[in-house]
Amino acid sequence: MCRVFGLLDPRLNHDELHRQGHELARSLRHGGPDGHAHRVFDGILVGGTRLAISDPEQGWQPFTTDGFTVFYNGEIYNAPALRRTLAASGVRFRTRCDGEVLAPLLARHGAAAGELLDGMFTVVAYEHRTRRLILLRDRSGIKPLYLFHEGGRFGFASEIPALLALRGGRAQPDLDGLDRYLRLKAVFGAAPEPGALGDPTLVEGVRSLPPGHALQLSPDAPPTMTALAEVPARARSTDPAEDLAKRFPDLIAEMLPTDVPYCAVLSGGLDSSVVATLAARAGGSLTAFTVVPRRPSAYTELPFAQQVAQATGARLEQVAVGGADLPELLPEVVRALGQPNSDPIIVSTYRLFQTVRAAGYPVALTGDASDEVFGGYDRFRSLAQSGDLGAYRQALSGVPAAWRRRLYSEDTLHALHSRRRPDDTPLDLSCADRDPTEAVTTFELRHRLPVYHLQRLDHLSAAHSVEARVPFCRDDVTALGRSLRTSDKLGPDGAVKVPLATAATRHGWAPESVVDRPKQPFTFRLSEHLLEDGGTALEWARQVLTDPSAQRGLFDQEHVEKTLAEFEEQRSEFLAHAVWSLLVLELWLQQISGGRR
């Protein structure tokens, strides 16, 4: 795992581009602390920082061969097979690093080389002959790449704060993005403008390269973006659980690094338990990390994580998080994210990876994405039973429409209405010719998973120089998931993720108590933590949100204060999330405006 960056600006000379390269490397050092490099060509800068995992001694970037200079962020899991094919055609390799396959693949296939890669990646390649830049992002969207395009100037970076530095620090919240954030807890969905270059973010003028896409840039031509071909869905199987059982253990074994220590993230739920069990079987002794509430709570999953650790022989490390930690941690978390995400899990995830790295592990395997691939959420089951897309949309909501209208200032409402109605939902869920759950699955995999889950995972692990690997995003697994009908994933008795649960039961991938237990988020109850220790966190939130400079005219301050008062009176999880969403947003607004922190 590394960080990458670049700039196309014909107006800048070599010295100015070199200066930008050094500044960007410093700003992204946390994600790649083991080294950095950049290269300058005529009007073009490309570079990156390195977290040395694959061939730490020799695998230094950039890889310059076959007429390309290549930087990349991530891991190419099928690199051994690609190396064998390339070697048979005469390519000679000097390292064992997975990224060394990229330049010869690009030389032979151009941007379509991305279709041959199974892994998590953003690739930045400069072709010397054509003076063309090729940017690639993996199909699942595990590794983000943010973009801006102003006139003939084009910048890109793995993180938004670094990208903003390229723009001279200019940042304003995008009002469409603001409404999406409050509606959906993060900014995702199709771009509001037809033909927009990338997916939306909360920063005006900043986009994200869509998952599974290639972007080609040239000083003499407009940018072009194309979709990589998907891995074809498998032929529908009569026993998808056995299909998964035949392949998944090998896929996880391929993901275990051989040159550095690794660990697993273990919640005690089915997904992370399966990953930890198979990692322990493939690699032997394993350390797993689990989050526990600092104060007694019915919301703990520790007993289940302990059962998995005992069954696998793993050493289990507990990471405690509580409400009293929020004033110290949440500003750091928001800074690491680069744009707001109001899932309560952000604080525990940040603390978890901080502990993982302090214990000496630069790589951690996680159970993310199984719910999207195999239908693990209650909202999928409810939609399959009722067909009610309105209820599905409501299940995604952070702050419902009526509350948003109450919170917005008159100026904000007017601006939103001038663009579109603020209660519109940017979900492409057209399903006239198919089961609505199939449309929802496509939407969740393409839009929600990359932003709400995977960007968060990438940024909060990179903040502590940890690479998070996601087995359920392997191409074989997602292809299996796309081949299944809703009826294959959901049982008649209310069961979810039936193929995974069945495989786990048949092959002992998790204790029976874990397979049969109800799903629970790997997080904490916001209402508990805001009120913990006499309401320490709530009082801090009140100070932040009622400061005279708060919200900068975006919200009606009187109604923000009413929301705080109503939560304190009712203490509901719904109101707690409204307070939390506003708090995360306000901390981010302070940071991008250079205000107090």
Side-chain angles (χ1 to χ4, degrees), residues 444-490:
E444 295 245 0
L445 288 170
R446 165 61 183 86
H447 293 292
R448 189 174 187 271
L449 173 66
V451 178
Y452 188 65
H453 291 282
L454 299 179
Q455 280 184 18
R456 177 185 70 210
L457 182 69
D458 173 80
H459 292 319
L460 298 182
S461 58
H464 302 293
S465 306
V466 176
E467 177 175 282
R469 298 190 174 182
V470 192
F472 286 107
C473 284
R474 290 295 301 270
D475 284 344
D476 270 12
V477 180
T478 58
L480 173 61
R482 284 187 287 109
S483 74
L484 303 178
R485 298 175 185 170
T486 302
S487 58
D488 298 319
K489 301 176 183 180
L490 306 178

Side-chain angles (χ1 to χ4, degrees), residues 3-5 15-38 45 47-50 157 159 161-163 165-166 335 462-463 465:
R3 304 278 94 175
V4 293
F5 55 82
D15 289 344
E16 290 169 322
L17 288 168
H18 277 300
R19 179 182 59 79
Q20 293 271 21
H22 288 300
E23 291 179 359
L24 285 163
R26 282 194 294 271
S27 70
L28 293 168
R29 186 177 182 276
H30 53 271
D34 298 323
H36 64 87
H38 68 264
L45 162 72
T49 64
R50 186 185 185 212
E159 297 182 9
L163 189 72
L166 276 176
R335 190 173 299 112
S465 306

Side-chain angles (χ1 to χ4, degrees), residues 377-431:
Y377 294 117
D378 286 342
R379 60 180 178 270
F380 289 161
R381 183 176 57 211
S382 297
L383 180 61
Q385 293 170 347
S386 69
D388 184 358
L389 281 169
Y392 168 80
R393 290 186 174 97
Q394 184 61 35
L396 296 183
S397 179
V399 180
W403 278 70
R404 293 196 310 277
R405 284 193 292 270
R406 189 177 79 165
L407 286 166
Y408 285 140
S409 69
E410 289 298 323
D411 287 345
T412 301
L413 278 173
H414 177 74
L416 285 168
H417 276 290
S418 69
R419 301 181 182 196
R420 55 171 178 75
R421 294 185 302 108
D423 58 346
D424 284 345
T425 303
L427 308 186
D428 180 14
L429 297 178
S430 174
C431 52

Side-chain angles (χ1 to χ4, degrees), residues 310-323:
Q310 183 176 10
T312 60
R315 186 172 87 249
L316 185 64
E317 298 288 343
Q318 299 179 31
V319 181
V321 178

